[in-house]
């Protein structure tokens, strides 16, 4: 069984260790950490010690760790608190049975808050270190008052500020900390979103976003007239009452991955993202104009993170996409049966499909295709809006 001592560091090149940690360092031979950690602790390492760089792919790192299973303990140096989006958590994921003892220090967000004299008990923390934008987008859409963000070389403060600016989240002040814990190099600066989007920053860094005024209003139902429309055609949009009823039938609060097939203006995807920011949404549209429409409307309503796929859904490569547990079919181009069969082939067990039928013919086509694919019809609702034709909303489930 592997045994690890995981020791937290700041960026201080003269980091002070407790006598207990110094004893652990002096009495061990196998050490590991990032390049920056190695530079800081190199003078303390015993002669003939062995260092294992922590770098991707992590499989190679843990293969080396396993060579010492039951023979020697490994001393790992990590940033801040190793249990705060840290490497101790990674060890537990890769080696669940490993014995781990943690010696934490302040993490970078704590150091930044301390320097700002900013209480951080109410701060929402998001890590973008080796992670996608999803949780950050969710925090913005939900309007969190204070957001602490851990960065990497791709998700820099500059990139973060540009994303905020692009989607209309200019209602935050950014506090950026660089090389925190290093008395010679530490730098803390304050910016508005636009200014931060034009600056460059030293790595490593982190930032705290503090809301200074209200931003996007998360309406429960967006007026049709507020969307940019396809060639200005009002009929080419799922009407607001129908849109909200469709979202209700999809049970999106308890879903994880939602596909919107034939999104046109993007109204269903955008409404879903605003009401359920936790969703991973992939939207499909055959018309090239759909990409520009979706981008414009996402910026208009502050909904980053919707993945757009342009082209024929029936020939799209779905292999790299995680399977959905909720699907809305807004357009089918006369090939509804083929679309349902393909959706059924990737839909998770317990997943749902919702379709709005504008005619008796399309209703019968959907129900026949659903039955042939092994989907069970669980709900039919009829609704009429103003002078438009009656809409039949149909829900089918995969048991």
């Amino acid at each position: 069984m592997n045994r690890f001592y995981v020791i937290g560091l700041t960026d201080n090149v003269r980091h002070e260790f407790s006598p207990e940690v110094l004893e652990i360092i002096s009495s061990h031979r196998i050490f590991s950490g990032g390049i920056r950690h190695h530079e800081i602790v190199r003078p303390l390492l015993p002669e003939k010690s062995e260092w294992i760089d922590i770098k991707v792919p992590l499989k190679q790192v843990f293969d080396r760790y396993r060579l010492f299973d039951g023979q020697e303990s490994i001393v790992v140096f990590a940033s801040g608190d190793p249990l705060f989006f840290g490497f101790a958590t990674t060890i537990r994921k890769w080696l669940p049975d490993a014995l781990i003892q943690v010696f934490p220090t302040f993490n970078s967000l704590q150091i930044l808050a301390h320097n700002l004299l900013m209480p951080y008990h109410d701060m929402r923390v998001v890590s973008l270190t080796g992670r996608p934008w999803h949780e950050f987008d969710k925090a913005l859409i939900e309007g969190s008052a204070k957001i602490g963000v851990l960065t990497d070389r791709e998700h820099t403060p500059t990139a973060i500020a540009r994303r905020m600016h692009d989607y209309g989240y200019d209602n935050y002040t950014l506090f950026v900390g660089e090389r925190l814990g290093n008395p010679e190099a530490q730098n803390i600066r304050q910016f508005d979103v636009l200014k931060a989007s034009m600056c460059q920053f030293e790595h490593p860094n982190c930032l705290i976003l503090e809301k200074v005024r209200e931003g996007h209003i998360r309406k429960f139902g967006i007026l049709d007239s507020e969307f940019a429309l396809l060639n200005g055609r009002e009929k080419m949009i799922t009407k607001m009452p129908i849109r909200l009823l469709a979202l209700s039938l999809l049970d999106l609060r308890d879903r994880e991955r939602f596909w919107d097939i034939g999104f046109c203006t993007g109204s269903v995807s955008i409404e879903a993202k605003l009401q359920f920011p936790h969703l991973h949404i992939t939207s499909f549209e055959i018309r090239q104009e759909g990409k520009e429409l979706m981008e414009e409307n996402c910026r208009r309503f502050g909904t980053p993170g919707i993945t757009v796929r342009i082209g024929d859904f029936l020939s799209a490569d779905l292999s790299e996409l995680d399977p959905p547990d909720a699907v809305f079919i807004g357009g089918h181009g006369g090939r509804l049966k083929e679309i349902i069969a393909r959706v059924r082939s990737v839909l998770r067990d317990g997943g749902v499909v919702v379709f709005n039928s504008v005619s008796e013919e399309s209703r019968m086509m959907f129900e026949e295709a659903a039955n042939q694919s092994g989907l069970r019809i669980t709900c039919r609702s009829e609704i009429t809006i103003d002078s438009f034709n009656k809409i039949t909303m149909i829900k089918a489930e995969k048991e």
Side-chain angles (χ1 to χ4, degrees):
M1 182 180 296
N2 286 105
R3 181 180 181 91
F4 294 88
Y5 297 95
V6 188
I7 300 169
L9 295 176
T10 67
D11 205 55
N12 191 345
V13 294
R14 291 189 293 275
H15 190 94
E16 295 185 2
F17 295 102
S18 68
E20 182 181 6
V21 169
L22 290 173
E23 172 60 26
I24 290 171
I25 294 173
S26 65
S27 60
H28 285 78
R29 189 182 69 86
I30 309 301
F31 300 89
S32 187
I35 295 175
R36 182 167 55 93
H37 304 135
H38 198 184
E39 292 173 353
I40 293 173
V41 302
R42 190 191 306 271
L44 300 175
L45 302 183
E47 290 187 22
K48 299 183 180 180
S49 62
E50 181 178 342
W51 182 271
I52 302 172
D53 277 324
I54 297 176
K55 57 185 179 181
V56 294
L58 286 179
K59 181 181 182 303
Q60 296 180 7
V61 178
F62 281 89
D63 284 345
R64 291 191 65 186
Y65 288 168
R66 290 187 181 94
L67 296 176
F68 302 98
D69 187 0
Q71 301 177 38
E72 293 186 72
S73 298
I74 302 172
V75 180
V76 177
F77 296 96
S79 297
D81 182 348
L83 288 171
F84 182 78
F85 298 99
F87 198 70
T89 306
T90 305
I91 294 173
R92 295 186 67 184
K93 176 182 176 181
W94 282 80
L95 301 171
D97 297 326
L99 298 176
I100 304 173
Q101 187 172 355
V102 173
F103 296 86
T105 190
F106 289 121
N107 65 63
S108 58
L109 288 173
Q110 287 176 311
I111 296 173
L112 179 55
H114 293 164
N115 278 273
L116 296 170
L117 290 179
M118 177 187 290
Y120 59 89
H121 58 274
D122 57 345
M123 182 169 66
R124 180 171 180 171
V125 177
V126 173
S127 176
L128 291 174
T129 306
R131 293 172 169 86
W133 289 105
H134 182 75
E135 289 300 321
F136 179 72
D137 294 341
K138 180 183 173 187
L140 287 181
I141 293 170
E142 291 177 348
S144 298
K146 191 183 296 179
I147 309 171
V149 187
L150 300 174
T151 65
D152 62 17
R153 294 186 183 276
E154 177 183 352
H155 302 91
T156 63
T158 308
I160 290 167
R162 287 175 181 169
R163 190 174 185 86
M164 295 173 71
H165 180 69
D166 286 346
Y167 289 94
Y169 290 98
D170 295 326
N171 56 320
Y172 285 86
T173 293
L174 283 68
F175 300 93
V176 182
E178 304 160 274
R179 304 296 298 270
L180 293 170
N182 185 333
E184 286 81 23
Q186 177 172 293
N187 189 25
I188 296 173
R189 294 183 280 171
Q190 177 179 335
F191 302 88
D192 60 33
V193 171
L194 180 59
K195 185 176 180 182
S197 71
M198 298 184 289
C199 288
Q200 299 299 317
F201 300 91
E202 288 286 327
H203 189 82
N205 54 60
C206 67
L207 65 157
I208 295 176
L209 314 179
E210 189 170 41
K211 187 159 67 173
V212 292
R213 63 181 185 278
E214 292 303 317
H216 286 288
I217 299 174
R218 291 173 64 197
K219 299 178 181 179
F220 184 69
I222 304 170
L223 294 176
D224 302 338
S225 59
E226 295 184 27
F227 285 94
L229 302 173
L230 179 64
N231 300 323
R233 296 157 63 187
E234 294 184 7
K235 291 186 178 181
M236 298 295 288
I237 187 173
T238 302
K239 299 292 182 270
M240 181 180 67
I242 298 172
R243 195 159 63 234
L244 296 181
L245 181 55
L247 297 183
S248 174
L249 292 177
L250 287 160
D251 296 325
L252 292 177
R253 189 176 303 280
D254 298 319
R255 306 293 174 179
E256 181 182 356
R257 298 189 181 275
F258 170 50
W259 287 7
D260 180 7
I261 300 174
F263 66 75
C264 192
T265 62
S267 64
V268 172
S269 296
I270 289 168
E271 197 86 68
K273 192 68 173 178
L274 284 175
Q275 300 305 323
F276 309 100
H278 71 280
L279 283 175
H280 297 265
I281 300 177
T282 303
S283 303
F284 300 85
E285 173 58 50
I286 196 168
R287 287 172 288 230
Q288 187 64 39
E289 308 96 295
K291 185 175 188 294
E292 184 177 337
L293 266 180
M294 177 69 89
E295 290 175 351
E296 181 177 348
N297 284 321
C298 283
R299 284 175 168 78
R300 186 174 294 190
F301 300 108
T303 53
I306 296 174
T307 300
V308 173
R309 292 296 188 93
I310 298 297
D312 187 350
F313 174 76
L314 292 175
S315 59
D317 181 5
L318 307 180
S319 61
E320 63 186 48
L321 298 177
D322 291 318
D325 49 10
V327 176
F328 176 75
I329 301 177
H332 56 85
R335 295 183 294 173
L336 186 57
K337 290 185 178 181
E338 295 94 325
I339 290 173
I340 291 174
R342 190 161 203 217
V343 166
R344 167 63 176 78
S345 70
V346 296
L347 188 67
R348 292 182 183 177
D349 291 343
V352 299
V353 181
V354 168
F355 172 68
N356 295 340
S357 171
V358 297
S359 67
E360 182 65 14
E361 180 185 6
S362 63
R363 182 191 68 78
M364 293 177 61
M365 188 184 303
F366 177 86
E367 294 191 5
E368 180 182 348
N371 289 329
Q372 289 176 352
S373 297
L375 300 175
R376 182 170 63 94
I377 305 297
T378 58
C379 182
R380 297 180 187 85
S381 297
E382 294 184 351
I383 185 171
T384 302
I385 304 297
D386 300 329
S387 60
F388 293 98
N389 293 334
K390 179 179 67 178
I391 301 291
T392 302
M393 309 186 69
I394 314 169
K395 176 180 179 179
E397 298 185 19
K398 181 180 179 180
E399 296 181 305

